[in-house]
Amino acid sequence: MAENIDEMRKIPCHVAIIMDGNGRWAKARNKERAFGHRAGSENVIKVVEAACDLGIKYITLYAFSTENWKRPQSEKKALFSLLNEFYKKEIKRLIKNNILIKHIGDISLFPKKTQDIIAAAEAETLVKCSDPIITVILALNYGSFDELRRGLISFSHDIKNNILDIDNINNETIFNYLDTKDVPSPDLLIRTSGECRLSNFLLLQIAYSELYFTNTLWPDFSKEEFSKSITSYMKRDRRYGGIDL
Ligand code: FPP
């Protein structure tokens, strides 16, 4: 992959992933959708390890969207229980490997037990991983429109209380009201399972991200496939609306 300093510079700092295809993966095996989500959750660890090995500093994973509330109760229950299991089971390994875990999105609508497990895990990694090798960000009850709605409420309060000057609003000001305010925008966005859409995920933050779509279903998206997406990214010429001189 990256063989010298110049190549290292091309490794994306932040990769965001829409982990799609768990349901179809399960269906192909005549299993319930929850079976696919379990396989998907196991794959999260493998891909985070691969990201760590490659020197990626941030990885954001779309685990539950604001639209996923439309799913059957049994599937949502399975997803919450997988999240509980993930945070409880993986926390020691995350800390041992100096991995910080955070979330974006509004988890106040999640079951109280899940909220508490998430809060405890995040607090523990925050204390114990002060100089993290990678930050894993789970998008939980996240959607760009909801992020903007919540951001606009805070923004309006700050205008009303004279914390913000309406004549001094720039792009940075706007970014400061997003859930991702402490995180650089993704360099690369990956979506698995063959769907080529963005599904309300980080819509402002990916304004200049490179996009990578693959037909592979998320549970099958291996470390090798992940490396392939990074190699594809490294070959691209990012001009951000400018021209090569
Ligand atoms: C999309 O597949 C996937 C989701 C809605 C949830 C993603 C969840 C996981 C990977 C597991 C839980 C994560 C953690 C971190 C514990 P889909 O169900 O829409 O698949 P389909 O399009 O084939 O039906």
Side-chain angles (χ1 to χ4, degrees), residues 206-220:
I206 59 167
Y208 270 100
S209 304
E210 295 296 323
L211 308 181
Y212 182 90
F213 297 104
T214 169
N215 287 332
T216 306
L217 303 176
W218 172 251
D220 292 330

Side-chain angles (χ1 to χ4, degrees), residues 19-24 33 37 40-41 63 68 71 86 138 218:
M19 310 181 285
D20 197 8
N22 295 346
R24 276 162 284 170
R33 297 178 59 80
H37 291 315
S41 138
N68 287 153
R71 297 202 175 196
F86 175 84
L138 291 191
W218 172 251

Side-chain angles (χ1 to χ4, degrees), residues 35 39 44 52 59 67 81 84 111 113 126 154 164 166-167 177:
F35 183 75
V44 165
C52 247
I59 184 161
E67 286 69 35
S81 137
N84 296 348
K113 182 178 168 190
L126 191 62
S154 300
L164 262 186
I166 204 154
D167 294 322
Y177 285 89

